[in-house]
Structure formats: C-alpha cells, structure tokens
Amino acid sequence: QVQLVESGGGSVQAGGSLRLSCAASGFIFRVNNMNWYRQAPGKQREMVATISSLGSTMYADSVKGRFTISRDNDKEMVYLQMSSLRPEDTAIYYCNRNGPYRQYWGQGTQVTVSS
C-alpha cells in the first residue's frame, strides 16, 4: 500500500533552516508528481510546493525564494529545504501524492519557528 513518511521537523529560531524528508513507497514514485502541504493551527491546509515527475517545481508565493523542493527517484524520497524561516511558517508539514482515485498523505511533521 501507499506510504508516505515525513521526518526532519523541529523547533528553530526565525532565520533558521530545516530540511524535511518524505520517504515514499507502494507506488511507482518516478512517474508521480509530489507535493508538500502545511496546516497551521486554525487554518486550512495549503500547498507549499510541488515537483513534477520531470523535476519542474512550483511554490506558494509565501515561500518563494526561501523553500526548495527536490526529489531523488532512486531513493524514492522528496525533500523540502526551508531557509529564512519565519514564525508564520509554523505548521504541520505533510507530504502528499495525488493518486488516480484519491489523495495520499503522510502523518505530518511539526515545524515550529520562534521569533
């Protein structure tokens, strides 16, 4: 079955960096677009970044220039490098795959940025 397992979250001060990882299994990873979402307390889940099967990337305006999504098809991993973190980046970050019939989510990893 499809599994997405995030890691790498934690607590940092504003201006710091974190690298999130997502280990994928149970599907043909290399042909799938992959996404990172986040959900802050009291807010709706929002897309942060997406990477296509060919490596094209798109970002939410709020993270452009600060976050970088990447993938390693051999290891079936997706990464989110986050720099210049701000308190408003505090959220649970989720790895996501849009399957043919449904979406798949990891369990999430908490990122907390203090001012």
Side-chain angles (χ1 to χ4, degrees), residues 7 14-15 28 53 60 65 69 71 77-78 80 90-91 94 103 107:
S7 61
I28 304 174
S53 59
I69 188 171
R71 64 190 296 159
M77 297 286 293
V78 188
L80 186 68
T90 295
Y94 297 92
Q103 294 202 58
Q107 82 287 353

Side-chain angles (χ1 to χ4, degrees), residues 1-96:
Q1 70 276 25
V2 173
Q3 282 196 313
L4 301 171
V5 180
E6 302 97 335
S7 61
S11 297
V12 295
Q13 290 195 322
S17 299
L18 282 173
R19 187 195 196 206
L20 306 183
S21 300
C22 171
S25 61
F27 61 100
I28 304 174
F29 179 81
R30 67 181 184 278
V31 301
N32 278 264
N33 299 345
M34 296 297 298
N35 313 300
W36 282 99
Y37 280 73
R38 68 184 180 188
Q39 187 166 19
K43 294 190 176 181
Q44 287 191 329
R45 196 171 293 191
E46 62 173 355
M47 181 181 283
V48 174
T50 185
I51 186 165
S52 75
S53 59
L54 297 179
S56 298
T57 58
M58 292 181 65
Y59 299 91
D61 287 343
S62 58
V63 307
K64 267 181 196 172
R66 300 188 299 121
F67 291 11
T68 302
I69 188 171
S70 61
R71 64 190 296 159
D72 185 329
N73 287 339
D74 290 334
K75 295 181 179 178
E76 298 189 329
M77 297 286 293
V78 188
Y79 305 100
L80 186 68
Q81 178 67 49
M82 306 184 295
S83 303
S84 302
L85 283 162
R86 304 168 181 169
E88 53 264 39
D89 294 318
T90 295
I92 300 174
Y93 284 71
Y94 297 92
C95 185
N96 166 270

